[in-house]
């Protein structure tokens, strides 16, 4: 047991208590951020004359060595230490003696862990954003290639109106774009430095909090030390953004699973992203999409768990907050992994465009346009709706599409129909006449694609 306290205690900590309390098995994940924060802290202590120039230099050099030794595997982070903060400090003291004992001047583990977690989350947020951008690039490339690929659009999972694959994919583009905007918003709110908050009430040392904040790339210091050590809003916001990203990935996965099914055959997932069955030789399963859909639950779980942990906590730090880590780390890794795999699956998927087109023309997706044709020839919409309803019934009985009916058959139901009806209800016409902003018509789609291209050219980090 290696712990940073003990002066006040007369008995050894019970081993089970020690294990229950320790966090090294998971907070070792942010050893880099812990060392980075300590280096900034020591630089500031040196600048303020709280440590001498020599002490400052020695501590920084040794902290960097510790970081290198951990990275090279020379120094192992073992569970003999209570947490990552104890590990770093104990190793520093072992290497530097009394000078090492000065590292923690004007600092508490409460503001230290608040800083480490914020630094870690900030990096994860940026990495997630980069992955989302890659996914958006894949989607936009597919959109450009498929502005003329006709497929049925659905409501209630029933064929509704024809759209294009570009249009369908464009819906997901908007979702993941919003996810990125959300991450940016969160970044703007979270990028303030809690270091210097002390245990809860600041410190009596003349710390320069602006300086440490600047060294660590923050906009400035947090403005209340009690809030500084006990705020986990930024993490909740990030987990909430992660949950939303997963919800989007899960919806997309669900569609791919449906599209990949034997009945639809709209897509074929690449062999590299499918798996077989141990018993059924014919099987090629969409496991990646299913796993992404499935893992959405655990990310939601992390969000719920932290919200619940935080709900009754009085100010300021409470040990409950140590529970902010394990599930959050898991959620962050899960989201990054899912975006990356999903992107690979999407980029290598084959779209069976013939099947999509056939499916669109087989589902009366042009019924609305047939009614619109009648309206354009003076029939009131409600009557037109009724006429086309009778046409659909007729087609269902004969197992044909509207465009398979002869003009005589159509005219028998309504004399308004002329030869130009066939052009008016062709899949191409149905799609390309829809030209309002955001609609699937090719010209409208191309406008959106060029806007989104510009959007992807700019970056915020
Ligand atoms: N392992 C602790 C955590 O993750 C570090 C902070 C400890 N502070 C304390 N007062 N015990 O929250």
């Amino acid at each position: 047991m290696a712990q940073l306290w003990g002066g006040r205690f007369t008995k050894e900590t019970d081993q089970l208590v020690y294990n229950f309390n320790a966090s090294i098995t998971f907070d070792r994940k942010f050893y880099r951020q812990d060392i980075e924060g300590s280096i900034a802290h020591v630089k500031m202590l040196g600048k303020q004359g709280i440590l001498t120039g020599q002490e400052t230099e020695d501590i920084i050099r040794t902290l960097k060595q510790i970081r290198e030794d951990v990275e090279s595997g020379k120094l192992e982070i073992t569970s003999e230490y209570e947490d990552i903060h104890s590990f770093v400090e104990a190793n520093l003291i072992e290497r530097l003696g009394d000078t090492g004992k000065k590292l923690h001047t004007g600092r508490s583990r409460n503001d230290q862990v608040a800083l480490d977690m914020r630094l870690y989350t900030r990096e994860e947020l940026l990495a997630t954003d980069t992955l989302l951008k890659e996914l958006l690039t894949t989607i936009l490339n597919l959109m450009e290639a498929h502005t003329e690929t006709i497929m049925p659009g659905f409501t209630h999972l029933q064929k509704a109106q024809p759209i294009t694959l570009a249009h369908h994919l464009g819906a997901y583009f908007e979702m993941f774009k919003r996810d990125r905007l959300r991450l940016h918003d969160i970044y703007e709110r979270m990028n303030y430095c809690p270091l210097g908050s002390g245990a809860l009430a600041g410190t009596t040392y003349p710390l320069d909090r602006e300086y440490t904040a600047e060294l660590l790339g923050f906009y400035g210091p947090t403005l209340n030390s009690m809030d500084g050590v006990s705020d986990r809003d930024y993490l909740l916001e990030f987990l909430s953004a992660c949950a939303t990203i997963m919800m989007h990935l899960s919806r997309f996965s669900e569609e791919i699973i449906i599209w990949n099914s034997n009945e639809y055959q709209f897509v074929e997932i690449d062999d590299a992203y499918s798996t077989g069955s141990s018993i059924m030789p014919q099987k090629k399963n969409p496991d990646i999409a299913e796993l992404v859909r499935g893992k959405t639950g655990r990310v939601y779980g992390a969000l719920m768990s932290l919200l619940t942990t935080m709900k009754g906590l009085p100010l300021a730090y409470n040990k409950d907050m140590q529970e902010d880590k394990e599930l959050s780390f898991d959620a962050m890794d899960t989201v990054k992994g899912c975006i990356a795999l999903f992107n690979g699956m999407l980029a290598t998927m084959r779209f069976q465009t013939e099947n999509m087109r056939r499916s669109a023309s087989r589902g009366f997706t042009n019924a609305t346009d047939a009614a619109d044709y009648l309206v354009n020839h003076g029939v009131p919409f409600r009557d037109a709706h009724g006429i086309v309803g009778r046409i659909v019934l007729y087609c269902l009985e004969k197992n044909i599409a509207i465009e398979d009916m002869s003009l005589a058959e159509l005219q028998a139901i309504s004399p308004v129909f002329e030869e130009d009806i066939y052009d008016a209800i062709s899949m191409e016409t149905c799609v390309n006449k829809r030209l309002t902003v955001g609609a699937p018509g090719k010209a409208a789609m191309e406008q959106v694609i060029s806007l989104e291209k510009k959007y992807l050219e700019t970056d915020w980090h």
Side-chain angles (χ1 to χ4, degrees):
M1 296 189 218
Q3 51 203 21
L4 296 171
W5 37 274
R8 182 195 187 286
F9 288 75
T10 53
K11 269 206 231 164
E12 277 275 319
T13 317
D14 179 89
Q15 186 65 46
L16 282 177
V17 171
Y18 180 83
N19 295 346
F20 190 65
N21 194 47
S23 53
I24 187 83
T25 52
F26 46 90
D27 63 19
R28 53 185 294 164
K29 213 167 160 89
F30 53 51
Y31 76 90
R32 230 177 1 91
Q33 289 77 6
D34 193 73
I35 291 173
E36 191 190 345
S38 288
I39 290 174
H41 181 63
V42 168
K43 268 190 192 156
M44 181 275 295
L45 291 178
K47 181 178 94 65
Q48 297 301 91
I50 301 168
L51 294 182
T52 68
Q54 191 59 52
E55 288 166 337
T56 307
E57 224 176 84
D58 289 345
I59 298 179
I60 292 175
R61 190 190 60 250
T62 313
L63 283 171
K64 286 182 178 167
Q65 278 166 3
I66 292 174
R67 182 168 61 195
E68 269 168 39
D69 290 350
V70 171
E71 253 141 42
S72 71
K74 225 161 105 187
L75 179 62
E76 209 194 323
I77 305 174
T78 63
S79 41
E80 115 194 43
Y81 302 92
E82 180 188 347
D83 54 27
I84 192 64
H85 324 300
S86 324
F87 167 83
V88 173
E89 199 176 324
N91 273 280
L92 185 73
I93 293 168
E94 204 179 293
R95 293 176 187 209
L96 264 191
D98 281 349
T99 305
K101 293 183 184 164
K102 297 190 175 181
L103 165 67
H104 212 49
T105 313
R107 190 175 70 170
S108 156
R109 272 189 296 168
N110 296 351
D111 60 345
Q112 189 178 356
V113 77
L115 171 70
D116 292 359
M117 196 61 190
R118 212 178 273 234
L119 287 172
Y120 189 88
T121 306
R122 190 176 67 178
E123 278 183 38
E124 290 296 303
L125 184 146
L126 295 176
T128 305
D129 185 68
T130 301
L131 286 167
L132 281 176
K133 189 176 177 188
E134 285 166 22
L135 176 59
L136 284 174
T137 307
T138 302
I139 296 177
L140 197 63
N141 287 339
L142 288 170
M143 285 166 69
E144 273 194 285
H146 289 289
T147 52
E148 293 178 12
T149 304
I150 288 175
M151 65 179 286
F154 296 84
T155 62
H156 313 272
L157 211 48
Q158 312 263 346
K159 292 176 197 175
Q161 289 173 344
I163 53 162
T164 62
L165 180 55
H167 191 242
H168 198 121
L169 293 171
Y172 287 103
F173 188 98
E174 297 307 315
M175 293 181 226
F176 295 120
K177 178 181 171 187
R178 282 196 299 277
D179 288 329
R180 289 193 74 204
L181 296 172
R182 228 181 313 276
L183 293 180
H184 191 175
D185 287 348
I186 296 167
Y187 184 94
E188 291 300 309
R189 257 189 307 282
M190 76 175 284
N191 199 30
Y192 291 88
C193 185
L195 193 62
S197 296
L200 77 163
T203 75
T204 55
Y205 299 95
L207 305 186
D208 184 346
R209 293 194 60 208
E210 271 85 8
Y211 182 64
T212 32
E214 196 191 310
L215 287 177
L216 292 165
F218 289 107
Y219 296 144
T222 55
L223 295 184
N224 181 290
S225 58
M226 303 253 278
D227 181 53
V229 291
S230 65
D231 168 32
R232 297 294 182 273
D233 288 4
Y234 69 91
L235 185 54
L236 286 166
E237 285 193 49
F238 181 49
L239 289 176
S240 163
C242 287
T244 307
I245 293 168
M246 289 303 295
M247 180 268 288
H248 293 151
L249 284 175
S250 182
R251 291 182 73 180
F252 206 165
S253 292
E254 167 72 7
E255 299 214 275
I256 288 171
I257 292 162
I258 293 172
W259 292 352
N260 186 66
S261 67
N262 304 134
E263 282 69 22
Y264 277 72
Q265 296 181 32
F266 282 8
V267 298
E268 194 186 336
I269 298 175
D270 193 75
D271 279 2
Y273 288 88
S274 330
T275 54
S277 155
S278 60
I279 173 168
M280 298 166 282
Q282 83 281 15
K283 283 276 203 165
K284 197 174 133 187
N285 297 327
D287 288 32
I288 299 304
E290 290 173 6
L291 271 173
V292 169
R293 188 177 61 183
K295 283 177 191 292
T296 303
R298 68 200 267 177
V299 177
Y300 288 5
L303 172 62
M304 265 310 132
S305 162
L306 186 59
L307 278 169
T308 312
T309 296
M310 296 302 294
K311 77 175 266 291
L313 295 190
L315 290 176
Y317 179 83
N318 300 268
K319 196 59 176 259
D320 314 45
M321 292 166 121
Q322 182 165 290
E323 286 297 311
D324 66 352
K325 296 178 191 63
E326 279 168 289
L327 294 182
S328 300
F329 290 157
D330 180 78
M332 292 171 189
D333 290 344
T334 301
V335 172
K336 281 191 304 180
C338 287
I339 302 171
L341 274 164
F342 190 92
N343 188 20
M345 176 179 68
L346 187 64
T348 54
M349 212 157 74
R350 269 179 307 285
F351 292 92
Q352 317 252 55
T353 55
E354 278 310 306
N355 295 346
M356 289 180 164
R357 208 204 136 79
R358 195 173 323 113
S359 168
S361 51
R362 279 285 138 205
F364 301 107
T365 56
N366 51 3
T368 312
D369 292 77
D372 288 346
Y373 173 94
L374 294 171
V375 170
N376 288 331
H377 289 76
V379 181
F381 181 77
R382 201 39 66 205
D383 293 340
H385 190 282
I387 292 167
V388 178
R390 287 203 296 284
I391 289 175
V392 168
L393 205 59
Y394 181 85
C395 290
L396 281 172
E397 271 165 21
K398 304 204 135 195
N399 193 24
I400 56 173
I402 303 177
E403 57 271 32
D404 296 335
M405 289 171 70
S406 70
L407 191 55
E409 285 174 299
L410 284 166
Q411 285 173 339
I413 298 178
S414 167
V416 178
F417 287 117
E418 298 291 344
E419 191 58 43
D420 61 351
I421 177 63
Y422 296 105
D423 188 47
I425 61 169
S426 80
M427 290 293 124
E428 278 70 21
T429 310
C430 292
V431 166
N432 288 326
K433 273 194 355 207
R434 291 179 155 76
L435 288 172
T436 45
V437 179
K442 186 165 189 234
M445 218 43 244
E446 277 168 351
Q447 264 178 345
V448 168
I449 289 172
S450 84
L451 283 176
E452 301 302 18
K453 254 194 185 154
K454 275 206 199 80
Y455 154 73
L456 280 182
E457 275 162 23
T458 56
D459 246 325
W460 61 274
H461 61 91

